Amino acid sequence: MNKITITGGHQIAGSIQASGAKNAVLPILAATIVGQGESHISRVPHLHDVTTMNELLAQMGARLTVDHHADITINTDHLSNQTAPYETVKSMRASILALGPLVARYGTAKVSLPGGCQIGARPVDLHIKGLQAMGAKIEVVDGYIHATCDRLKGNRIVMDKVTVTGTENILIAATLAKGETLIENAAIEPEVVDLAKYLKAMGADISGEGTSKIYIQGKDQLTGTHHAVMPDRIEIGTFLVAAAITGGSITIHNSCNDDLDAVFDKLTETGASVETTTDTVTLNMHGKRPQPVDIRTAPHPAFPTDMQAQFCALNAIAEGTSVITETLFENRFMHVEELNRMGANIHVEGNQAIIKGVDHLSGAPVTATDLRASASLVLAGLAAQGQTEVHDIHYIDRGYEAIEEKMNQLGAKIIRS
């Protein structure tokens, strides 16, 4: 089952519940390593990356149970193996998040250099430099990061560039370090805030999360707790675009609206009506063809890079020309060639995609190249005339929970085979 077939031309309409956030749950699962006793993590999305992280923790010796709601109870008190092997983590960049908590609690870690989507260079040197500044001895040998330390010591750590996973790794490690740690130029993404919320519930002393300066006063120990994972803002944005690209309407419950202002603003520019309540968002395109919108990606709270590919698909059928500028990853326009196979008119110049909207797209066989690219091809298939086959859908299963089931619930015609 490595492809999905989409019969286009069906308007997306109805309501769904947002899933828990992939980019929040993975660091939270890694952070269970620093808490003594059990943690209960709810609203966990059923995703391939979550399964991989669970397998990794189990291989290390963690005790995990998953109930019928996909909630996870986990105890990491007796990890007999502090290694994250290549075979387990080769497809998931989030594996690097095991490094900080392992060396913080157990004094040793051996973590494979990570894999994942090939959307550009995402080096781990900032993770290593941060832990070294806290006293860890680190070597990279045969593709593995080896880290050891009797106990980490708090320090002032200035990130050379904003990095979400780098901020998360150092944040988790610092909760058990001796003394105070200051992370400067920290990522301010909502998923970092959600991680801090979980760590604070375990007893961590953290302030400044959601700003560029995070202060952590290290504790001798933390205690497992309960945490409900935040909603997935990228899934929410993707389904809103699905309604917009088909001229339909959608209501999404359990939405995190405060985190999606940049996406809502751009959807409004396309001609959609966007209305929010405390925890729902409703989009209505009123059957209209979208207007083109220029996009420039940047760290939160600006427009998220993880929504860039979806807006490429939307702009491909817009009534005019648009420019999308990608500032974060140098190789994140791989979906353009596949969209052009469907009749899109997109030209890439450096870090910009110039998109001339066409009247319609045509179904075609296409291949996913990364997680968000796969989402853009599904969206294009929804709007295309005829059938679209999206191959290599293992990418989409890394970040979208039951996407074809949710789309079909909203009126789409998608078959997995």
Side-chain angles (χ1 to χ4, degrees):
M1 301 180 71
N2 200 35
K3 72 174 181 180
I4 57 176
T5 302
I6 306 160
T7 301
H10 298 277
Q11 217 172 58
I12 292 297
S15 65
I16 58 168
Q17 289 277 343
S19 299
K22 164 189 178 285
N23 290 337
V25 71
L26 296 177
I28 287 168
L29 289 173
T32 63
I33 293 172
V34 297
Q36 296 187 10
E38 286 187 350
S39 274
H40 179 77
I41 313 300
S42 62
R43 207 154 60 200
V44 177
H46 182 63
L47 303 171
H48 185 269
D49 276 10
V50 172
T51 300
T52 300
M53 184 65 83
N54 288 343
E55 289 175 354
L56 172 61
L57 291 168
Q59 287 174 5
M60 291 178 178
R63 297 197 301 270
L64 296 95
T65 57
V66 181
D67 69 17
H68 65 284
H69 296 295
D71 294 357
I72 298 174
T73 300
I74 182 168
N75 187 312
T76 60
D77 279 347
H78 304 288
L79 298 192
S80 56
N81 176 19
Q82 289 80 41
T83 298
Y86 172 75
E87 283 303 316
T88 303
V89 305
K90 62 185 177 182
S91 65
M92 184 183 68
R93 294 201 64 86
S95 60
I96 191 65
L97 289 166
L99 182 65
L102 282 174
V103 74
R105 184 171 181 191
Y106 287 96
T108 184
K110 180 182 177 183
V111 178
S112 172
L113 292 169
C117 294
Q118 303 304 310
I119 60 173
R122 294 191 282 183
V124 299
D125 59 315
L126 298 181
H127 303 245
I128 292 173
K129 286 172 63 177
L131 291 171
Q132 285 175 327
M134 299 169 73
K137 297 178 181 179
I138 297 181
E139 295 180 309
V140 179
V141 180
D142 297 331
Y144 280 83
I145 305 168
H146 297 251
T148 57
C149 189
D150 290 335
R151 184 179 182 185
L152 297 174
K153 296 180 175 60
N155 203 344
R156 175 173 175 262
I157 298 169
V158 181
M159 296 292 187
D160 292 342
K161 61 181 293 187
V162 176
T163 162
V164 174
T165 55
T167 298
E168 291 168 339
N169 226 339
I170 301 306
L171 172 59
I172 300 168
T175 61
L176 292 182
K178 184 178 181 180
E180 185 177 78
T181 299
L182 167 60
I183 306 174
E184 294 202 51
N185 198 27
I188 65 173
E189 268 69 7
E191 293 78 11
V192 176
V193 176
D194 203 41
L195 171 63
K197 182 179 179 182
Y198 167 65
L199 292 168
K200 290 167 79 168
M202 286 203 294
D205 185 347
I206 301 169
S207 61
E209 66 273 20
T211 76
S212 61
K213 290 186 178 182
I214 303 177
Y215 297 85
I216 309 101
Q217 188 69 42
K219 298 283 189 176
D220 291 335
Q221 69 177 49
L222 302 177
T223 305
T225 187
H226 172 263
H227 180 77
V229 178
M230 67 172 285
D232 194 320
R233 60 194 175 104
I234 305 304
E235 182 202 46
I236 293 166
T238 300
F239 275 82
L240 292 174
V241 172
I245 203 171
T246 61
S249 61
I250 189 173
T251 295
I252 302 177
H253 300 273
N254 184 38
S255 184
C256 48
N257 297 334
D258 291 344
D259 302 327
L260 283 161
D261 286 341
V263 173
F264 292 168
D265 287 347
K266 290 300 178 181
L267 285 168
T268 300
E269 284 185 36
T270 70
S273 300
V274 179
E275 297 181 358
T276 62
T277 66
T278 303
D279 62 352
T280 68
V281 56
T282 297
L283 178 143
N284 194 333
M285 200 65 189
H286 305 287
K288 298 181 299 185
R289 183 180 176 187
Q291 296 300 304
V293 291
D294 292 337
I295 300 288
R296 182 178 183 86
T297 66
H300 189 78
F303 191 90
T305 182
D306 279 353
M307 283 299 302
Q308 177 258 104
Q310 296 90 314
F311 271 78
C312 268
L314 183 62
N315 277 330
I317 62 161
E319 198 170 3
T321 300
S322 58
V323 177
I324 293 183
T325 305
E326 173 58 59
T327 71
L328 300 178
F329 295 112
E330 71 278 9
N331 197 24
R332 206 164 199 182
F333 283 127
M334 292 188 290
H335 49 280
V336 165
E337 183 177 346
E338 300 303 299
L339 290 172
N340 284 343
R341 285 173 51 80
M342 299 177 69
N345 185 351
I346 308 174
H347 177 66
V348 176
E349 294 182 0
N351 69 333
Q352 291 188 322
I354 296 91
I355 306 171
K356 296 181 179 179
V358 296
D359 291 336
H360 68 271
L361 299 173
S362 299
V366 291
T367 301
T369 54
D370 63 66
L371 169 55
R372 305 308 171 185
S374 65
S376 76
L377 300 179
V378 171
L379 296 175
L382 293 174
Q385 295 179 358
Q387 287 193 338
T388 299
E389 291 183 353
V390 182
H391 295 262
D392 286 356
I393 57 168
H394 61 274
Y395 286 110
I396 207 163
D397 292 334
R398 290 185 52 230
Y400 290 93
E401 182 177 43
I403 189 169
E404 73 273 16
E405 295 177 20
K406 286 189 173 182
M407 289 292 187
N408 287 340
Q409 177 185 332
L410 295 166
K413 302 297 181 184
I414 303 178
I415 299 173
R416 180 181 289 245
S417 60

